[in-house]
Amino acid sequence: MAATQEALYQAHDLELSWSEASLPERERTKHVHRLHPYLGKFIPQLVETLLERHVPVGGRVLDPFAGSGTTLVQSLESGYDATGVDIAGFNALLARVKTRPYNLAAVRHDLLWAHGEVESFRPRGRYPRAATAYLRSWYAPTAAEELLHFRGLIDQVGSADVLRVVLARSARSARRTAHFDLEFPREPQLEPYWCFKHRRECRPVDAARRFLLRYTLDTLDRIEMFAAARAPGFVARMLHGDARVIALEGPYDGVITSPPYPGLIDYHEQHRYAYELLGIDQRHDLELGRPARGTGRAAIEEYVEGVSGVLENARSSLVFGGRICIVVNDRRDLYPEILERAGLKIVDRHERHVNRRTGRRSGEYYESILVAVAR
């Protein structure tokens, strides 16, 4: 019989491991953390605890594998300045939208105007000329028409990047794919199917309107909630580039990061719909651990060299004695070599159980938090 969550957590630090009962999803995805789904992100409560343990109060924090910006958002809420770096253009866009200080009245005006435009739009049910082969494959005609209409609204408002994220989130939901397969759809779902999520027969989505309306209002609510939650006077920067060589403009008092795992997630392909609709710069070839590279000896060496290069660059931007907290499942035992090459040594280590409530994944999952300093 599998262990209950309560039994599992009796042997773990409750400040690093949470059960569904002690930390429900609504708390793990509070305010802007849920502006857009993102596979593989860590929860803000983990960042909060690591900040308290390993970074001086009010200091500057760096995340060189920033992803969707969890470290940056939680740093702002906890009273720290933060800088993030990511090679994926959509990740950079999403993190900037989450962390930017807003004129709330202007954002409200822009999003409510866009909401009204969606309500009044009447699609013809045909693919527009602007519909690419990707849109024609993955979206029903009405859905493609509605998404492209919304795209046309973006440059008419000051809150253009916010609308870009609303469009991307809606496009994710409006794809012709099974409801339970939003993370890794391999091909369009064109016929009715048995849905594991809803336990009934479902049909592929044929329109985007309801998602555009819902997410426009939800995004406004979440931005307003975070504006009230963030500590005053602190700022975040999000850099789009290669963290091995980019100028980090330190010094920083600490690093909190979670590098990608080799061969697991393609962070560009995960958001393919966003790149297709928004024309974002793609840098697939520079993504560390990309599944297309495989997990053979050469790919693993490339990964080790890449991650160590990022951490070495981060180390050079730290204050003397500053700590680097690395959240990782190191089942391949790569990090002793990575840390050696980066000029780092471990001074502390935490183990945590990860609640894998979402999706159809099974089995217990654990992570280590490696705390390192310059050698």
Side-chain angles (χ1 to χ4, degrees), residues 10 21 41 129 154 195 214 218 324 344:
Q10 286 178 359
K41 67 181 178 181
R129 289 184 178 180
I154 288 174
C195 181
R214 182 194 311 165
D218 182 70
I324 297 181
L344 298 168

Side-chain angles (χ1 to χ4, degrees), residues 203-351:
R203 295 179 176 275
V205 174
D206 60 4
R209 183 178 187 271
R210 69 180 184 271
F211 302 117
L212 291 164
L213 292 173
R214 182 194 311 165
Y215 297 153
T216 298
L217 296 182
D218 182 70
T219 297
L220 176 58
D221 287 344
R222 292 180 180 278
I223 287 175
E224 291 178 337
M225 283 190 286
F226 183 55
R230 64 189 293 168
F234 295 93
V235 296
R237 295 184 309 148
M238 184 64 200
L239 307 177
H240 178 208
D242 187 339
R244 291 171 287 190
V245 297
I246 198 168
L248 296 174
E249 301 177 9
Y252 296 96
D253 298 292
V255 172
I256 297 177
T257 195
S258 182
Y261 296 165
L264 187 59
I265 299 174
D266 186 322
Y267 287 92
H268 282 78
E269 190 63 28
Q270 179 188 173
H271 303 125
R272 172 78 181 279
Y273 48 86
Y275 289 95
E276 292 283 345
L277 276 166
L278 299 174
I280 300 171
D281 176 33
Q282 299 190 50
R283 304 181 185 182
H284 285 278
D285 291 343
L286 295 175
E287 185 177 310
L288 297 178
R290 188 181 175 205
R293 304 281 199 207
T295 54
R297 182 177 300 176
I300 293 299
E301 170 56 28
E302 180 183 82
Y303 173 84
V304 168
E305 184 65 20
V307 175
S308 64
V310 172
L311 295 179
E312 182 178 12
N313 194 21
R315 186 207 74 206
S316 69
S317 71
L318 275 177
V319 299
F320 179 77
R323 293 188 166 197
I324 297 181
C325 300
I326 308 163
V327 181
V328 64
N329 177 288
D330 190 22
R331 66 184 182 85
R332 299 177 188 272
D333 197 29
L334 302 178
Y335 273 82
E337 176 66 19
I338 287 172
L339 295 178
E340 176 70 22
R341 294 190 192 186
L344 298 168
K345 63 179 180 180
I346 293 179
V347 294
D348 202 356
R349 181 174 184 140
H350 314 295
E351 305 294 333

Side-chain angles (χ1 to χ4, degrees), residues 22-256:
S22 65
L23 188 64
E25 185 180 15
R26 66 179 179 274
E27 293 297 324
R28 303 194 303 271
T29 58
K30 59 184 179 178
H31 49 68
V32 293
H33 289 297
R34 200 169 193 167
L35 278 192
H36 189 287
Y38 188 89
L39 184 63
K41 67 181 178 181
F42 48 26
I43 62 175
Q45 289 78 11
L46 176 59
V47 177
E48 182 179 23
T49 302
L50 295 177
L51 287 169
E52 292 173 352
R53 290 187 180 186
H54 299 293
V55 184
V57 173
R60 297 184 71 202
V61 182
L62 172 68
D63 185 349
F65 295 103
S68 65
T70 301
T71 295
L72 277 63
V73 172
Q74 191 55 49
S75 294
L76 293 176
E77 185 174 345
S78 298
Y80 297 80
D81 290 327
T83 296
V85 186
D86 207 279
I87 197 63
F90 180 70
N91 294 358
L93 169 67
L94 180 56
R96 286 177 186 142
V97 168
K98 288 180 176 182
T99 58
R100 185 174 293 153
Y102 290 101
N103 178 329
L104 294 180
V107 173
R108 172 171 283 273
H109 174 273
D110 291 347
L111 292 188
L112 292 182
W113 172 79
H115 188 272
E117 292 295 305
V118 174
E119 282 190 314
S120 62
F121 180 65
R122 295 295 176 265
R124 297 175 299 171
R126 301 197 299 268
Y127 287 112
R129 289 184 178 180
T132 62
Y134 175 86
L135 292 177
R136 292 170 187 265
S137 176
W138 283 95
Y139 297 92
T142 296
E145 194 176 0
E146 290 165 335
L147 292 170
L148 290 173
H149 168 260
F150 192 88
R151 187 176 71 177
L153 306 177
I154 288 174
D155 290 333
Q156 301 182 50
V157 299
S159 308
D161 281 348
V162 179
L163 261 63
R164 289 185 176 97
V165 170
V166 172
L167 176 60
R169 186 179 176 189
S170 302
R172 179 183 186 274
S173 296
R175 288 173 298 174
R176 293 197 286 200
T177 184
H179 294 135
F180 57 82
D181 199 25
L182 288 171
E183 292 177 352
F184 299 112
R186 291 180 175 85
E187 59 185 22
Q189 180 73 44
L190 304 179
E191 302 295 334
Y193 59 93
W194 176 256
C195 181
F196 294 96
K197 180 178 180 180
H198 298 118
R199 297 188 178 277
R200 59 178 171 82
E201 184 177 87
C202 289
R203 295 179 176 275
V205 174
D206 60 4
R209 183 178 187 271
R210 69 180 184 271
F211 302 117
L212 291 164
L213 292 173
R214 182 194 311 165
Y215 297 153
T216 298
L217 296 182
D218 182 70
T219 297
L220 176 58
D221 287 344
R222 292 180 180 278
I223 287 175
E224 291 178 337
M225 283 190 286
F226 183 55
R230 64 189 293 168
F234 295 93
V235 296
R237 295 184 309 148
M238 184 64 200
L239 307 177
H240 178 208
D242 187 339
R244 291 171 287 190
V245 297
I246 198 168
L248 296 174
E249 301 177 9
Y252 296 96
D253 298 292
V255 172
I256 297 177

